[in-house]
Amino acid sequence: MVHSVILGCGLAGLTISIAMKSRYPQMDVTIIEKSEYKQRGGLLCSENDRGFIFDTGGSHVIFSNKEDILHFMLSILDNEVITHERKAFILLDDLFVPYPFENGLHVLPPELRAEAFISFMEAQLSRPNDWSPKNFEEWIYGSFGKWIAEKYLIPYNEKIWKRPLSQIDVSWTFTPGRLPIPDWRGIAKAAVGIPTIGYKVQSTFYYPLKGGIQTLYDSLLAKAENLKVRIIWCEKVREVKKLEEGFIINGKYKADILINTIPLPQLVEALNAPEYIVKNVEHLDYNSIVVVGIALKKSAPQQHWVYVPDKNVIFHRYAWISNYSHFNAPKGFSSIIAEITIPKGHQPKIEENVEKVLEDFERIGTFKRQDVIFTRTWFHKYGYPIYTLDHKRVRENVLSWLTEQNIASTGRWGSWHYWNMDKVIEEAFLLIEQQNYKNYLT
Ligand SMILES: Cc1cc2nc3c(=O)[nH]c(=O)nc-3n(C[C@H](O)[C@H](O)[C@H](O)COP(=O)(O)OP(=O)(O)OC[C@H]3O[C@@H](n4cnc5c(N)ncnc54)[C@H](O)[C@@H]3O)c2cc1C
Protein backbone atom coordinates (compact mmCIF):
# COMPACT_ATOMS: atom_id res chain seq x y z
CA MET A 1 0.00 0.00 0.00
CA VAL A 2 1.36 3.45 -0.93
CA HIS A 3 0.88 6.07 1.77
CA SER A 4 0.48 9.69 0.88
CA VAL A 5 0.28 12.26 3.65
CA ILE A 6 -1.03 15.79 3.31
CA LEU A 7 -0.07 18.37 5.92
CA GLY A 8 -2.94 20.72 6.83
CA CYS A 9 -6.67 20.18 6.38
CA GLY A 10 -7.80 23.57 5.12
CA LEU A 11 -9.37 24.01 1.69
CA ALA A 12 -6.06 23.15 -0.03
CA GLY A 13 -5.41 19.94 1.92
CA LEU A 14 -8.96 18.69 1.50
CA THR A 15 -9.06 19.41 -2.24
CA ILE A 16 -5.73 17.65 -2.78
CA SER A 17 -7.03 14.59 -0.94
CA ILE A 18 -10.10 14.48 -3.19
CA ALA A 19 -8.03 14.97 -6.34
CA MET A 20 -5.58 12.26 -5.23
CA LYS A 21 -8.26 9.69 -4.32
CA SER A 22 -10.23 10.40 -7.49
CA ARG A 23 -7.16 9.79 -9.65
CA TYR A 24 -5.53 7.02 -7.63
CA PRO A 25 -8.33 5.20 -5.74
CA GLN A 26 -5.93 2.53 -4.48
CA MET A 27 -3.72 5.12 -2.73
CA ASP A 28 -3.92 5.45 1.05
CA VAL A 29 -4.44 9.16 1.81
CA THR A 30 -4.05 10.72 5.27
CA ILE A 31 -4.35 14.39 6.27
CA ILE A 32 -2.68 15.68 9.42
CA GLU A 33 -4.37 18.74 10.94
CA LYS A 34 -3.51 20.66 14.10
CA SER A 35 -7.03 21.91 14.89
CA GLU A 36 -9.58 19.79 16.64
CA TYR A 37 -12.61 18.68 14.60
CA LYS A 38 -14.80 21.38 16.21
CA GLN A 39 -12.44 24.13 14.96
CA ARG A 40 -12.06 22.68 11.47
CA GLY A 41 -12.01 24.69 8.23
CA GLY A 42 -8.83 26.78 8.37
CA LEU A 43 -9.90 30.19 7.07
CA LEU A 44 -13.27 28.74 6.01
CA CYS A 45 -14.73 28.48 9.46
CA SER A 46 -18.21 29.63 10.54
CA GLU A 47 -19.79 29.77 13.99
CA ASN A 48 -23.40 29.85 15.04
CA ASP A 49 -23.94 31.95 18.16
CA ARG A 50 -27.55 32.38 19.30
CA GLY A 51 -28.81 31.98 15.75
CA PHE A 52 -26.29 34.42 14.22
CA ILE A 53 -23.83 32.79 11.82
CA PHE A 54 -20.43 34.45 11.50
CA ASP A 55 -17.65 33.56 9.06
CA THR A 56 -14.80 33.72 11.51
CA GLY A 57 -12.04 34.05 8.88
CA GLY A 58 -13.63 37.24 7.50
CA SER A 59 -16.11 37.82 4.68
CA HIS A 60 -15.91 34.95 2.15
CA VAL A 61 -17.87 34.77 -1.10
CA ILE A 62 -17.69 32.27 -3.95
CA PHE A 63 -16.72 33.45 -7.42
CA SER A 64 -14.32 32.52 -10.20
CA ASN A 65 -13.51 33.37 -13.78
CA LYS A 66 -12.77 29.67 -14.35
CA GLU A 67 -16.06 28.00 -15.19
CA ASP A 68 -14.92 24.50 -14.25
CA ILE A 69 -13.72 25.62 -10.82
CA LEU A 70 -16.89 27.61 -10.16
CA HIS A 71 -18.90 24.58 -11.24
CA PHE A 72 -16.87 22.38 -8.86
CA MET A 73 -17.57 24.70 -5.90
CA LEU A 74 -21.28 25.03 -6.67
CA SER A 75 -21.82 21.35 -7.38
CA ILE A 76 -20.06 20.31 -4.18
CA LEU A 77 -22.72 22.43 -2.47
CA ASP A 78 -25.42 20.67 -4.50
CA ASN A 79 -26.27 24.14 -5.80
CA GLU A 80 -27.73 24.97 -2.37
CA VAL A 81 -26.46 28.52 -2.79
CA ILE A 82 -27.77 32.04 -2.99
CA THR A 83 -26.79 34.01 -6.07
CA HIS A 84 -26.04 37.66 -5.40
CA GLU A 85 -25.44 40.70 -7.52
CA ARG A 86 -22.59 42.38 -5.65
CA LYS A 87 -23.50 45.45 -3.60
CA ALA A 88 -20.08 46.56 -2.43
CA PHE A 89 -19.04 50.12 -1.68
CA ILE A 90 -16.15 52.35 -0.67
CA LEU A 91 -17.02 54.72 2.15
CA LEU A 92 -15.59 58.09 1.11
CA ASP A 93 -16.30 60.66 3.82
CA ASP A 94 -20.02 60.02 4.25
CA LEU A 95 -20.71 58.82 0.70
CA PHE A 96 -21.01 55.18 -0.36
CA VAL A 97 -19.25 54.93 -3.73
CA PRO A 98 -20.11 51.69 -5.58
CA TYR A 99 -17.16 49.28 -5.95
CA PRO A 100 -14.90 49.28 -7.93
CA PHE A 101 -14.31 52.94 -7.14
CA GLU A 102 -13.41 53.96 -10.70
CA ASN A 103 -16.76 52.63 -11.95
CA GLY A 104 -18.68 54.12 -9.03
CA LEU A 105 -17.49 57.69 -9.57
CA HIS A 106 -20.88 58.59 -11.04
CA VAL A 107 -22.28 59.12 -7.51
CA LEU A 108 -19.79 61.94 -6.80
CA PRO A 109 -20.56 65.62 -7.47
CA PRO A 110 -19.50 66.65 -11.02
CA GLU A 111 -16.47 68.69 -9.92
CA LEU A 112 -14.97 65.67 -8.08
CA ARG A 113 -15.76 63.34 -11.00
CA ALA A 114 -13.93 65.75 -13.28
CA GLU A 115 -10.93 65.88 -10.95
CA ALA A 116 -10.78 62.09 -10.78
CA PHE A 117 -11.05 61.74 -14.56
CA ILE A 118 -8.50 64.44 -15.33
CA SER A 119 -5.90 62.93 -13.02
CA PHE A 120 -6.66 59.45 -14.40
CA MET A 121 -6.09 60.74 -17.96
CA GLU A 122 -2.93 62.61 -16.92
CA ALA A 123 -1.53 59.34 -15.60
CA GLN A 124 -2.45 57.49 -18.82
CA LEU A 125 -1.02 60.18 -21.10
CA SER A 126 2.24 60.61 -19.23
CA ARG A 127 2.97 56.87 -19.09
CA PRO A 128 5.76 55.71 -21.40
CA ASN A 129 5.00 52.72 -23.66
CA ASP A 130 7.53 50.59 -21.82
CA TRP A 131 6.14 51.58 -18.39
CA SER A 132 7.28 49.18 -15.76
CA PRO A 133 6.27 50.23 -12.23
CA LYS A 134 8.88 49.38 -9.59
CA ASN A 135 6.46 48.88 -6.73
CA PHE A 136 2.77 48.82 -5.80
CA GLU A 137 2.65 52.56 -5.06
CA GLU A 138 3.99 53.45 -8.53
CA TRP A 139 1.53 51.01 -10.08
CA ILE A 140 -1.42 52.65 -8.31
CA TYR A 141 -0.44 56.21 -9.30
CA GLY A 142 0.36 55.16 -12.87
CA SER A 143 -2.82 53.09 -13.36
CA PHE A 144 -5.43 55.23 -11.60
CA GLY A 145 -3.99 58.76 -11.31
CA LYS A 146 -3.37 60.92 -8.24
CA TRP A 147 -6.97 61.57 -7.21
CA ILE A 148 -8.20 57.98 -6.97
CA ALA A 149 -4.82 56.95 -5.57
CA GLU A 150 -4.84 59.45 -2.73
CA LYS A 151 -8.55 59.39 -1.92
CA TYR A 152 -8.90 55.63 -1.84
CA LEU A 153 -6.28 53.17 -3.02
CA ILE A 154 -3.25 54.40 -1.07
CA PRO A 155 -4.95 54.94 2.32
CA TYR A 156 -7.00 51.74 1.99
CA ASN A 157 -4.04 49.59 1.03
CA GLU A 158 -1.76 51.14 3.65
CA LYS A 159 -4.37 50.17 6.19
CA ILE A 160 -4.59 46.56 5.08
CA TRP A 161 -0.84 46.04 4.45
CA LYS A 162 0.38 48.16 7.39
CA ARG A 163 3.39 49.61 5.54
CA PRO A 164 4.27 52.12 2.82
CA LEU A 165 3.16 50.72 -0.54
CA SER A 166 6.60 51.45 -2.01
CA GLN A 167 7.67 48.39 0.02
CA ILE A 168 5.24 46.10 -1.79
CA ASP A 169 6.14 44.35 -5.00
CA VAL A 170 4.07 45.05 -8.05
CA SER A 171 3.88 41.41 -9.12
CA TRP A 172 0.81 40.58 -7.02
CA THR A 173 -1.29 43.09 -8.93
CA PHE A 174 -0.83 40.83 -11.92
CA THR A 175 -2.19 37.75 -10.08
CA PRO A 176 -5.22 36.83 -12.22
CA GLY A 177 -8.51 37.94 -10.71
CA ARG A 178 -6.80 39.68 -7.80
CA LEU A 179 -7.21 43.36 -8.52
CA PRO A 180 -9.57 45.04 -10.93
CA ILE A 181 -7.54 46.70 -13.71
CA PRO A 182 -9.23 49.95 -14.77
CA ASP A 183 -10.81 50.21 -18.18
CA TRP A 184 -10.73 53.83 -19.42
CA ARG A 185 -14.11 53.49 -21.14
CA GLY A 186 -15.78 52.58 -17.83
CA ILE A 187 -14.08 55.48 -16.09
CA ALA A 188 -15.08 57.90 -18.85
CA LYS A 189 -18.71 56.83 -18.54
CA ALA A 190 -18.64 57.05 -14.73
CA ALA A 191 -17.09 60.52 -14.97
CA VAL A 192 -20.01 61.82 -17.04
CA GLY A 193 -22.45 60.22 -14.60
CA ILE A 194 -23.30 56.87 -16.23
CA PRO A 195 -23.19 53.82 -13.90
CA THR A 196 -21.07 50.90 -15.16
CA ILE A 197 -20.03 47.56 -13.70
CA GLY A 198 -16.34 46.84 -13.18
CA TYR A 199 -14.49 43.72 -11.94
CA LYS A 200 -17.16 41.59 -13.59
CA VAL A 201 -15.64 38.28 -12.41
CA GLN A 202 -17.00 39.01 -8.96
CA SER A 203 -20.08 41.12 -9.81
CA THR A 204 -22.17 37.98 -9.43
CA PHE A 205 -21.16 35.86 -6.47
CA TYR A 206 -22.50 32.86 -4.60
CA TYR A 207 -22.84 31.94 -0.95
CA PRO A 208 -24.03 28.77 0.81
CA LEU A 209 -27.72 28.92 1.63
CA LYS A 210 -27.20 27.55 5.14
CA GLY A 211 -24.32 27.30 7.62
CA GLY A 212 -22.07 30.10 6.34
CA ILE A 213 -18.98 29.59 4.22
CA GLN A 214 -18.01 26.56 6.30
CA THR A 215 -20.69 24.61 4.46
CA LEU A 216 -18.41 24.66 1.42
CA TYR A 217 -15.63 23.18 3.55
CA ASP A 218 -17.93 20.65 5.22
CA SER A 219 -19.29 19.48 1.87
CA LEU A 220 -15.72 18.87 0.67
CA LEU A 221 -14.97 17.10 3.92
CA ALA A 222 -17.96 14.77 3.41
CA LYS A 223 -16.71 14.00 -0.09
CA ALA A 224 -13.19 13.27 1.16
CA GLU A 225 -14.55 11.00 3.88
CA ASN A 226 -16.67 9.15 1.31
CA LEU A 227 -13.51 8.56 -0.66
CA LYS A 228 -11.98 7.03 2.51
CA VAL A 229 -9.49 9.80 3.17
CA ARG A 230 -8.25 9.48 6.76
CA ILE A 231 -8.05 12.72 8.75
CA ILE A 232 -6.05 13.00 11.93
CA TRP A 233 -7.31 16.00 13.90
CA CYS A 234 -5.53 17.72 16.76
CA GLU A 235 -2.08 16.69 15.54
CA LYS A 236 0.26 19.61 14.99
CA VAL A 237 3.05 18.86 12.53
CA ARG A 238 6.18 19.33 14.67
CA GLU A 239 8.73 17.07 13.07
CA VAL A 240 9.17 15.82 9.53
CA LYS A 241 12.09 13.45 9.02
CA LYS A 242 13.31 12.46 5.61
CA LEU A 243 14.12 8.75 5.38
CA GLU A 244 16.01 6.91 2.71
CA GLU A 245 12.62 6.27 1.18
CA GLY A 246 9.80 8.57 2.17
CA PHE A 247 9.22 10.49 5.38
CA ILE A 248 8.10 10.07 8.94
CA ILE A 249 5.93 12.76 10.55
CA ASN A 250 5.92 13.37 14.32
CA GLY A 251 7.73 10.04 14.66
CA LYS A 252 4.57 8.05 13.88
CA TYR A 253 3.08 8.65 10.43
CA LYS A 254 4.96 7.10 7.53
CA ALA A 255 4.61 8.76 4.11
CA ASP A 256 5.83 7.62 0.71
CA ILE A 257 4.45 10.84 -0.77
CA LEU A 258 4.35 14.09 1.18
CA ILE A 259 2.33 17.17 0.18
CA ASN A 260 2.34 20.33 2.22
CA THR A 261 -0.31 23.02 2.73
CA ILE A 262 0.68 24.34 6.18
CA PRO A 263 2.51 27.70 6.39
CA LEU A 264 6.05 27.41 4.99
CA PRO A 265 7.75 28.65 8.21
CA GLN A 266 6.15 25.78 10.16
CA LEU A 267 7.16 23.17 7.60
CA VAL A 268 10.73 24.45 7.42
CA GLU A 269 10.98 24.35 11.21
CA ALA A 270 9.58 20.81 11.33
CA LEU A 271 12.11 19.72 8.71
CA ASN A 272 15.00 21.23 10.66
CA ALA A 273 16.07 22.84 7.40
CA PRO A 274 19.58 24.24 6.74
CA GLU A 275 20.37 27.73 7.98
CA TYR A 276 20.10 29.45 4.57
CA ILE A 277 16.54 28.15 4.12
CA VAL A 278 15.58 29.26 7.62
CA LYS A 279 16.97 32.71 6.79
CA ASN A 280 14.94 32.83 3.57
CA VAL A 281 11.76 31.81 5.34
CA GLU A 282 12.24 34.57 7.91
CA HIS A 283 11.79 37.01 5.02
CA LEU A 284 8.34 35.66 4.15
CA ASP A 285 6.03 38.30 5.54
CA TYR A 286 2.35 38.21 6.44
CA ASN A 287 -0.37 40.04 8.33
CA SER A 288 -2.59 38.39 10.89
CA ILE A 289 -6.28 39.21 11.00
CA VAL A 290 -8.75 39.98 13.75
CA VAL A 291 -12.40 39.49 12.85
CA VAL A 292 -15.02 41.16 15.02
CA GLY A 293 -18.58 39.85 14.70
CA ILE A 294 -21.49 41.96 15.93
CA ALA A 295 -25.11 40.86 16.33
CA LEU A 296 -27.55 43.74 15.96
CA LYS A 297 -31.19 44.39 16.75
CA LYS A 298 -31.81 46.41 13.61
CA SER A 299 -32.20 45.62 9.94
CA ALA A 300 -29.31 45.86 7.48
CA PRO A 301 -29.05 48.29 4.55
CA GLN A 302 -28.89 46.90 0.98
CA GLN A 303 -25.15 46.30 1.14
CA HIS A 304 -22.83 43.30 1.13
CA TRP A 305 -19.46 44.74 2.10
CA VAL A 306 -17.87 48.18 2.48
CA TYR A 307 -14.20 49.23 2.14
CA VAL A 308 -13.17 51.96 4.57
CA PRO A 309 -10.06 53.95 3.56
CA ASP A 310 -10.46 56.45 6.46
CA LYS A 311 -7.30 56.07 8.56
CA ASN A 312 -9.12 57.02 11.74
CA VAL A 313 -11.31 53.94 11.48
CA ILE A 314 -9.61 50.79 12.80
CA PHE A 315 -11.11 48.26 10.35
CA HIS A 316 -10.38 48.29 6.63
CA ARG A 317 -13.57 46.48 5.61
CA TYR A 318 -16.88 45.43 7.06
CA ALA A 319 -19.54 43.07 5.73
CA TRP A 320 -23.25 42.78 6.42
CA ILE A 321 -23.01 39.02 6.69
CA SER A 322 -26.73 38.72 7.46
CA ASN A 323 -27.33 39.87 3.87
CA TYR A 324 -25.31 36.94 2.46
CA SER A 325 -28.06 34.50 3.48
CA HIS A 326 -31.33 35.03 5.33
CA PHE A 327 -30.31 32.02 7.43
CA ASN A 328 -27.36 33.99 8.81
CA ALA A 329 -29.43 35.98 11.34
CA PRO A 330 -32.85 35.68 13.01
CA LYS A 331 -35.65 37.53 11.21
CA GLY A 332 -35.65 41.29 11.90
CA PHE A 333 -32.05 41.21 13.17
CA SER A 334 -28.75 41.70 11.36
CA SER A 335 -25.06 41.01 11.75
CA ILE A 336 -21.80 42.55 10.69
CA ILE A 337 -18.18 41.42 10.61
CA ALA A 338 -15.28 43.88 10.65
CA GLU A 339 -11.72 42.99 9.62
CA ILE A 340 -8.53 44.41 11.12
CA THR A 341 -5.02 43.40 10.06
CA ILE A 342 -2.15 43.06 12.53
CA PRO A 343 1.52 42.97 11.45
CA LYS A 344 3.48 39.71 11.74
CA GLY A 345 4.53 38.90 15.29
CA HIS A 346 2.24 41.50 16.94
CA GLN A 347 -0.25 40.37 19.54
CA PRO A 348 -3.78 41.67 18.99
CA LYS A 349 -5.31 43.77 21.76
CA ILE A 350 -8.71 42.17 21.44
CA GLU A 351 -10.66 44.17 24.03
CA GLU A 352 -9.24 47.50 22.87
CA ASN A 353 -9.97 46.50 19.28
CA VAL A 354 -13.61 45.69 19.99
CA GLU A 355 -14.11 48.97 21.86
CA LYS A 356 -12.58 50.93 18.96
CA VAL A 357 -14.62 48.97 16.40
CA LEU A 358 -17.89 49.87 18.17
CA GLU A 359 -16.81 53.48 18.60
CA ASP A 360 -15.87 53.76 14.92
CA PHE A 361 -19.11 52.16 13.70
CA GLU A 362 -21.08 54.63 15.77
CA ARG A 363 -19.01 57.56 14.48
CA ILE A 364 -19.44 56.60 10.81
CA GLY A 365 -23.16 56.11 11.45
CA THR A 366 -23.45 52.35 10.78
CA PHE A 367 -25.29 51.56 14.01
CA LYS A 368 -25.67 52.79 17.58
CA ARG A 369 -24.39 51.13 20.77
CA GLN A 370 -27.91 50.33 21.87
CA ASP A 371 -28.38 48.24 18.67
CA VAL A 372 -25.65 45.80 19.76
CA ILE A 373 -26.80 42.45 21.17
CA PHE A 374 -23.35 40.88 21.54
CA THR A 375 -19.89 40.87 19.98
CA ARG A 376 -17.46 38.04 19.21
CA THR A 377 -13.84 38.09 18.05
CA TRP A 378 -11.57 35.67 16.25
CA PHE A 379 -7.86 35.84 15.53
CA HIS A 380 -6.07 34.17 12.61
CA LYS A 381 -2.31 34.31 12.80
CA TYR A 382 -1.98 33.73 9.06
CA GLY A 383 -4.33 36.12 7.25
CA TYR A 384 -2.64 37.80 4.27
CA PRO A 385 0.69 36.79 2.68
CA ILE A 386 2.58 39.94 1.71
CA TYR A 387 4.34 40.56 -1.60
CA THR A 388 7.40 42.24 -0.15
CA LEU A 389 10.08 43.33 -2.61
CA ASP A 390 12.02 40.08 -2.02
CA HIS A 391 8.92 37.83 -1.98
CA LYS A 392 9.58 36.26 -5.38
CA ARG A 393 13.23 35.41 -4.69
CA VAL A 394 12.65 34.13 -1.19
CA ARG A 395 9.65 31.90 -1.97
CA GLU A 396 11.41 30.47 -5.01
CA ASN A 397 14.46 29.58 -2.89
CA VAL A 398 12.30 27.84 -0.30
CA LEU A 399 10.09 26.04 -2.81
CA SER A 400 12.99 24.78 -4.91
CA TRP A 401 14.67 23.42 -1.79
CA LEU A 402 11.42 21.63 -0.91
CA THR A 403 11.25 20.20 -4.43
CA GLU A 404 14.79 18.84 -3.93
CA GLN A 405 13.48 17.17 -0.76
CA ASN A 406 10.67 15.66 -2.84
CA ILE A 407 7.96 17.67 -1.06
CA ALA A 408 5.27 19.41 -3.11
CA SER A 409 3.80 22.47 -1.44
CA THR A 410 0.67 24.45 -2.35
CA GLY A 411 -2.30 26.38 -0.91
CA ARG A 412 -2.31 29.97 0.29
CA TRP A 413 0.44 29.37 2.85
CA GLY A 414 2.24 26.45 1.25
CA SER A 415 2.83 28.63 -1.81
CA TRP A 416 2.82 32.01 -0.05
CA HIS A 417 0.49 33.50 -2.61
CA TYR A 418 -2.51 35.75 -2.11
CA TRP A 419 -4.85 33.12 -3.53
CA ASN A 420 -8.60 33.04 -3.30
CA MET A 421 -10.49 29.77 -2.90
CA ASP A 422 -10.82 29.21 -6.65
CA LYS A 423 -7.07 29.49 -7.21
CA VAL A 424 -6.35 27.21 -4.25
CA ILE A 425 -8.68 24.58 -5.75
CA GLU A 426 -7.31 24.98 -9.26
CA GLU A 427 -3.71 24.59 -8.07
CA ALA A 428 -4.60 21.57 -5.92
CA PHE A 429 -6.02 19.70 -8.93
CA LEU A 430 -3.12 20.84 -11.11
CA LEU A 431 -0.59 19.52 -8.62
CA ILE A 432 -2.07 16.01 -8.68
CA GLU A 433 -2.33 16.15 -12.46
CA GLN A 434 1.27 17.23 -12.93
CA GLN A 435 3.01 15.05 -10.35
CA ASN A 436 3.25 11.57 -11.67
CA TYR A 437 2.40 9.42 -8.67
CA LYS A 438 1.63 6.43 -10.89
CA ASN A 439 5.23 5.23 -10.48
CA TYR A 440 4.64 4.72 -6.78
CA LEU A 441 1.77 2.37 -7.51
CA THR A 442 3.55 0.01 -9.88
C1 LIG B 1 -10.16 38.02 5.31
C2 LIG B 1 -10.15 37.03 4.17
C3 LIG B 1 -11.19 37.07 3.26
C4 LIG B 1 -11.20 36.17 2.18
N1 LIG B 1 -12.23 36.24 1.30
C5 LIG B 1 -12.27 35.36 0.27
C6 LIG B 1 -13.38 35.41 -0.65
O1 LIG B 1 -14.31 36.22 -0.51
N2 LIG B 1 -13.39 34.51 -1.67
C7 LIG B 1 -12.38 33.60 -1.86
O2 LIG B 1 -12.44 32.82 -2.83
N3 LIG B 1 -11.32 33.54 -1.00
C8 LIG B 1 -11.25 34.40 0.06
N4 LIG B 1 -10.20 34.33 0.95
C9 LIG B 1 -9.12 33.34 0.71
C10 LIG B 1 -9.42 31.93 1.29
O3 LIG B 1 -9.68 32.03 2.68
C11 LIG B 1 -8.19 31.04 1.07
O4 LIG B 1 -7.86 31.00 -0.30
C12 LIG B 1 -8.35 29.59 1.52
O5 LIG B 1 -9.12 29.46 2.68
C13 LIG B 1 -6.95 29.01 1.76
O6 LIG B 1 -7.02 27.64 2.11
P1 LIG B 1 -5.67 26.90 2.57
O7 LIG B 1 -6.04 25.50 2.83
O8 LIG B 1 -4.60 27.17 1.58
O9 LIG B 1 -5.22 27.64 3.91
P2 LIG B 1 -5.84 27.58 5.38
O10 LIG B 1 -7.31 27.76 5.34
O11 LIG B 1 -5.05 28.55 6.19
O12 LIG B 1 -5.55 26.09 5.88
C14 LIG B 1 -4.32 25.66 6.39
C15 LIG B 1 -4.59 24.52 7.37
O13 LIG B 1 -3.35 24.05 7.91
C16 LIG B 1 -3.49 23.86 9.32
N5 LIG B 1 -2.16 23.95 9.96
C17 LIG B 1 -1.39 25.05 10.11
N6 LIG B 1 -0.26 24.73 10.75
C18 LIG B 1 -0.30 23.40 10.98
C19 LIG B 1 0.60 22.48 11.59
N7 LIG B 1 1.78 22.86 12.09
N8 LIG B 1 0.22 21.18 11.66
C20 LIG B 1 -0.97 20.74 11.16
N9 LIG B 1 -1.85 21.59 10.59
C21 LIG B 1 -1.52 22.89 10.49
C22 LIG B 1 -4.44 24.97 9.72
O14 LIG B 1 -5.05 24.69 10.99
C23 LIG B 1 -5.43 24.97 8.57
O15 LIG B 1 -6.49 24.06 8.78
C24 LIG B 1 -10.14 35.22 2.03
C25 LIG B 1 -9.11 35.19 2.96
C26 LIG B 1 -9.11 36.07 4.03
C27 LIG B 1 -7.99 36.05 5.04
Side-chain angles (χ1 to χ4, degrees):
M1 173 71 92
V2 179
H3 300 284
S4 62
V5 171
I6 300 162
L7 308 180
C9 194
L11 176 66
L14 260 188
T15 312
I16 291 166
S17 76
I18 291 169
M20 183 74 110
K21 266 292 194 188
S22 308
R23 198 171 168 111
Y24 307 108
Q26 63 278 53
M27 182 96 75
D28 171 67
V29 179
T30 300
I31 312 182
I32 299 178
E33 166 60 46
K34 73 166 187 197
S35 303
E36 55 178 316
Y37 176 75
K38 251 172 61 193
Q39 306 285 327
R40 68 193 178 278
L43 285 165
L44 306 188
C45 200
S46 310
E47 267 188 44
N48 183 340
D49 190 334
R50 289 161 256 184
F52 292 86
I53 291 174
F54 295 101
D55 292 339
T56 71
S59 157
H60 275 76
V61 300
I62 299 169
F63 64 93
S64 184
N65 59 356
K66 298 269 163 70
E67 261 186 42
D68 53 338
I69 306 290
L70 184 60
H71 179 257
F72 174 79
M73 290 192 272
L74 299 183
S75 60
I76 210 90
L77 284 163
D78 267 339
N79 289 310
E80 289 264 292
V81 291
I82 303 190
T83 308
H84 289 285
E85 294 312 313
R86 179 188 64 212
K87 294 187 193 76
F89 300 86
I90 295 102
L91 182 58
L92 188 72
D93 303 325
D94 51 2
L95 202 63
F96 288 100
V97 179
Y99 173 86
F101 194 77
E102 58 279 15
N103 294 82
L105 293 174
H106 60 91
V107 301
L108 297 177
E111 56 279 16
L112 294 187
R113 275 187 253 149
E115 239 184 280
F117 188 62
I118 289 167
S119 84
F120 171 76
M121 285 314 294
E122 275 169 355
Q124 307 299 309
L125 296 171
S126 61
R127 242 168 43 185
N129 282 342
D130 58 350
W131 183 56
S132 146
K134 283 197 280 304
N135 56 51
F136 188 34
E137 184 180 74
E138 275 191 26
W139 180 83
I140 289 178
Y141 274 109
S143 304
F144 293 86
K146 192 168 166 3
W147 198 87
I148 296 180
E150 291 178 2
K151 286 283 177 199
Y152 161 46
L153 284 169
I154 303 270
Y156 174 74
N157 277 288
E158 279 180 354
K159 240 169 120 175
I160 191 166
W161 300 113
K162 298 280 182 295
R163 70 199 61 214
L165 303 187
S166 56
Q167 292 174 14
I168 295 191
D169 194 42
V170 73
S171 63
W172 82 283
T173 58
F174 301 119
T175 306
R178 248 312 355 137
L179 271 190
I181 309 291
D183 170 15
W184 67 268
R185 291 172 191 82
I187 297 189
K189 283 187 185 165
V192 295
I194 303 171
T196 55
I197 297 174
Y199 195 21
K200 290 210 178 107
V201 173
Q202 192 210 49
S203 61
T204 299
F205 70 86
Y206 306 86
Y207 187 81
L209 179 63
K210 289 183 183 167
I213 197 64
Q214 189 170 335
T215 301
L216 177 63
Y217 177 91
D218 282 349
S219 309
L220 283 164
L221 181 61
K223 183 163 175 89
E225 284 172 343
N226 269 339
L227 291 167
K228 304 268 180 294
V229 170
R230 183 164 71 121
I231 302 171
I232 296 160
W233 303 99
C234 245
E235 177 84 42
K236 183 171 180 182
V237 175
R238 294 174 196 282
E239 186 193 54
V240 177
K241 273 209 168 124
K242 197 163 188 298
L243 309 172
E244 211 151 283
E245 284 198 357
F247 303 85
I248 186 129
I249 297 111
N250 290 356
K252 40 185 170 170
Y253 305 105
K254 169 94 180 44
D256 301 299
I257 296 166
L258 185 63
I259 303 177
N260 174 60
T261 73
I262 69 172
L264 288 170
Q266 300 201 19
L267 175 66
V268 160
E269 193 186 335
L271 276 162
N272 201 9
E275 191 59 23
Y276 80 98
I277 293 299
V278 174
K279 285 253 155 353
N280 271 280
V281 137
E282 281 168 6
H283 282 257
L284 290 175
D285 209 348
Y286 62 88
N287 279 345
S288 304
I289 182 159
V290 171
V291 176
V292 180
I294 306 159
L296 295 166
K297 46 181 174 232
K298 63 166 275 186
S299 55
Q302 292 286 306
Q303 295 176 342
H304 290 120
W305 64 88
V306 178
Y307 301 96
V308 187
D310 181 348
K311 287 196 167 180
N312 297 316
V313 173
I314 188 170
F315 43 85
H316 58 269
R317 177 170 79 156
Y318 66 89
W320 287 101
I321 189 123
S322 50
N323 282 344
Y324 289 19
S325 164
H326 49 276
F327 287 102
N328 276 2
K331 207 165 184 288
F333 295 84
S334 65
S335 51
I336 251 186
I337 47 178
E339 297 162 2
I340 303 161
T341 52
I342 311 270
K344 169 183 178 177
H346 287 225
Q347 276 310 310
K349 298 180 182 125
I350 298 285
E351 273 174 29
E352 272 176 42
N353 285 167
V354 174
E355 190 44 41
K356 179 85 171 85
V357 164
L358 295 179
E359 204 178 292
D360 289 349
F361 270 128
E362 187 149 30
R363 191 159 46 78
I364 63 176
T366 318
F367 57 77
K368 297 199 175 69
R369 284 283 175 137
Q370 60 263 35
D371 297 324
V372 177
I373 306 169
F374 66 86
T375 62
R376 293 285 311 271
T377 49
W378 300 273
F379 174 68
H380 292 267
K381 178 173 171 185
Y382 292 100
Y384 292 98
I386 303 179
Y387 287 68
T388 48
L389 297 176
D390 55 1
H391 167 267
K392 187 169 186 287
R393 178 180 59 80
V394 169
R395 72 173 285 282
E396 276 173 13
N397 286 346
V398 177
L399 288 175
S400 41
W401 180 77
L402 287 176
T403 308
E404 283 165 24
Q405 309 308 305
N406 212 10
I407 303 173
S409 190
T410 188
R412 188 165 167 113
W413 301 105
S415 73
W416 219 265
H417 269 312
Y418 188 164
W419 283 348
N420 273 328
M421 298 185 286
D422 60 338
K423 187 69 178 159
V424 167
I425 292 171
E426 183 187 358
E427 291 290 327
F429 277 105
L430 214 59
L431 188 144
I432 299 303
E433 217 174 284
Q434 285 173 350
Q435 304 269 344
N436 194 356
Y437 293 127
K438 229 188 278 161
N439 300 339
Y440 286 86
L441 295 164
T442 50

